[in-house]
Amino acid sequence: MNPVIITPLPITASAAVTACGLGNQTLVQALLSDESQLRPQSHISTEFPTYCGAVDNGLLPKLDAELSKFIARNAQIALAALNSKEDGLRNSVGRAIERYGAARIGIVLGTSTSGIYETENAYISLTGSGRAPVGYHFAHQHIWAATAHYLQAELELTGPCYAVSTACSSSSKSIASAQRLILSGVCDAVLTGGVDSLCRLTLQGFRSLELVSDKPCTPLDEGRNGISLGEGAGLLLLERPHGKFRDCIHLLASGESSDAHHMTAPHPDGNGAVLAMERAFLQGALTAADIDYVNLHATGTIKNDEAEMRAMATVFPPDTPCSGTKGLTGHTLGAAGGVEAIIALLSLQYDLLPGTCGLNQVDPAFSSNVLEKSLSGQQVRRVMSNNFGFGGNNTSLILGKLND
């Protein structure tokens, strides 16, 4: 196949909220220290022990009264990212409105759980008292697009607005969708990424699949035994190219595949992952040799890590630095692509190669150059970030600095 060269798009602002704290700087500090932020799960009552990457309740702002119909933990996490003062995402959206107009700015948000937590609470109330809580709105709190609609109302935008929900690849696919909206001329800027919140469904669901670890997850480790769930937001503002944005980190390419090998299990050889990575190379007219670091999906489950590393061995030379960062934040599911795109962006901004937090001994079956500890002072110009979801929904993003 011949390369299909896509115009790089500047990422003019971004903000993350995770178990590491509020804002990108807290994420950088966690990456540099290689210190896990996973704690015993206490947010939701369960009959089994597990560790989670929960967002501190004290970081969650209240929604304005006129938008109270959107009140949900998911919306609060998104608002926290939007309002992160040190990252200036809200101000950047405001400047984009001045440049293009509110109708030319879209929102594409990835999520897996959306407002399920609120519906679970409403159902508990309904079965206990016979009535749902006053103020509960399924359409404004629960549905996949609820948080996207909330952000649109909060920012008074009138462009395209929708959600993508493809499990763990949701927000990386939303970024690829935002890329298409801009390159096709539908939008001049898109607020994208993802947000997800912990709920009973995901905790119990992954437990039923026997995928939840009873200790902090250890991605890529020979003794790994499952995931640690997390929650958070990773929001990015993509804009159409302009000379004044040349120094921004750019989205260089995206690659997607849908192998549909199994409802929950990846293809054992990582065929869908290989296809997503290769399509990203084609779109960006790049090769594996152009990539300085790969942020792996690396959930900490036996089969997923194994399949991804087989895919890596197919696509990359064994000396390519790679790591998984879910040992810091937990697996934020529908927000993982957005959070980890920001980790890729920070890697480029700080010339940092993140380590694999929680890793004790790399599985000897893996031949790739897995980083155990973070390395600073590196030359990092292009980074690939992988996210692979249930049903074979796979996405690979490439972020980088423009050539001089």
Side-chain angles (χ1 to χ4, degrees):
M1 296 176 64
N2 294 323
V4 180
I5 300 174
I6 295 294
T7 303
L9 296 180
I11 302 169
T12 57
S14 67
V17 179
T18 66
C20 300
L22 173 61
N24 292 351
Q25 195 58 42
T26 64
L27 196 49
V28 170
Q29 292 305 315
L31 291 167
L32 288 170
S33 67
D34 290 302
E35 184 176 350
S36 175
Q37 303 302 310
L38 303 177
R39 302 289 182 267
Q41 199 284 122
S42 59
H43 178 61
I44 297 169
S45 177
T46 60
E47 73 280 7
F48 56 90
T50 186
Y51 281 68
C52 285
V55 174
D56 188 330
N57 288 338
L59 298 177
L60 303 182
K62 294 182 178 179
L63 275 61
D64 289 341
E66 59 268 28
L67 297 176
S68 61
K69 65 183 180 182
F70 291 107
I71 290 175
R73 187 174 181 86
N74 225 50
Q76 288 180 286
I77 294 173
L79 181 59
L82 183 66
N83 285 347
S84 174
K85 291 183 179 179
E86 69 176 34
D87 298 309
L89 180 58
R90 181 186 282 272
N91 289 339
S92 293
V93 174
R95 288 191 289 270
I97 294 172
E98 292 175 359
R99 279 192 291 272
Y100 314 121
R104 295 291 299 171
I105 302 173
I107 295 180
V108 186
L109 201 65
T111 190
S112 177
T113 63
S114 189
I116 291 176
Y117 179 64
E118 275 62 41
T119 296
E120 290 172 341
N121 291 339
Y123 184 75
I124 290 171
S125 175
L126 181 65
T127 56
S129 66
R131 63 182 64 183
V134 174
Y136 173 69
H137 296 276
F138 179 83
H140 299 301
Q141 294 171 311
H142 178 117
I143 65 171
W144 285 330
T147 305
H149 290 159
Y150 162 67
L151 288 175
Q152 184 182 48
E154 173 71 26
L155 293 165
E156 298 181 341
L157 301 176
T158 56
C161 178
Y162 57 93
V164 174
S165 190
T166 54
C168 310
S169 63
S170 298
S171 49
S172 53
K173 280 189 171 287
S174 77
I175 293 169
S177 184
Q179 177 196 44
R180 289 190 287 273
L181 285 176
I182 294 173
L183 292 176
S184 63
V186 174
C187 294
D188 293 315
V190 179
L191 180 63
T192 188
V195 57
D196 242 343
S197 47
L198 288 167
C199 65
R200 299 167 185 84
L201 177 69
T202 48
L203 283 163
Q204 299 287 357
F206 278 94
R207 173 69 171 177
S208 71
L209 294 172
E210 299 181 346
L211 295 177
V212 176
S213 176
D214 60 357
K215 60 184 180 181
C217 66
T218 56
L220 309 174
D221 193 274
E222 64 177 351
R224 65 192 183 279
N225 72 340
I227 68 172
S228 296
L229 289 167
E231 62 182 356
L235 302 181
L236 305 93
L237 182 63
L238 285 178
E239 298 194 44
R240 59 185 174 88
H242 192 284
K244 63 184 175 183
F245 299 143
R246 186 169 181 81
D247 291 336
C248 293
I249 302 303
H250 281 60
L251 175 64
L252 302 181
S254 63
E256 300 174 86
S257 70
S258 182
D259 60 55
H261 169 74
H262 186 272
M263 185 178 290
T264 58
H267 189 284
D269 292 323
N271 289 357
V274 169
L275 187 56
M277 290 188 278
E278 290 181 341
R279 284 179 171 171
F281 291 148
L282 283 170
Q283 191 183 93
L286 299 166
T287 68
D290 296 314
I291 305 301
D292 299 309
Y293 163 69
V294 180
N295 185 276
L296 302 167
H297 189 53
T299 63
T301 66
I302 294 173
K303 294 299 183 182
N304 279 270
D305 286 8
E306 184 179 89
E308 182 172 12
M309 296 311 284
R310 286 181 178 173
M312 284 290 294
T314 300
V315 174
F316 283 96
D319 61 345
T320 303
C322 61
S323 68
T325 52
K326 291 180 174 65
L328 287 173
T329 63
H331 189 351
T332 57
L333 301 180
V339 169
E340 289 163 20
I342 291 177
I343 289 175
L345 183 149
L346 295 172
S347 174
L348 290 154
Q349 287 181 333
Y350 288 86
D351 286 323
L352 167 69
L353 298 181
T356 306
C357 185
L359 180 61
N360 298 305
Q361 178 61 51
V362 178
D363 190 324
F366 303 156
S367 59
S368 298
N369 180 19
V370 177
L371 301 171
E372 297 185 30
K373 299 293 182 182
S374 296
L375 300 175
S376 57
Q378 308 298 303
Q379 186 176 31
V380 186
R381 292 195 61 81
R382 299 180 192 88
V383 172
M384 175 176 278
S385 183
N386 288 335
N387 293 104
F388 308 133
F390 282 170
N393 289 292
N394 309 301
T395 310
S396 295
L397 305 177
I398 301 177
L399 279 66
K401 302 170 184 176
L402 294 185
N403 292 324
D404 296 330

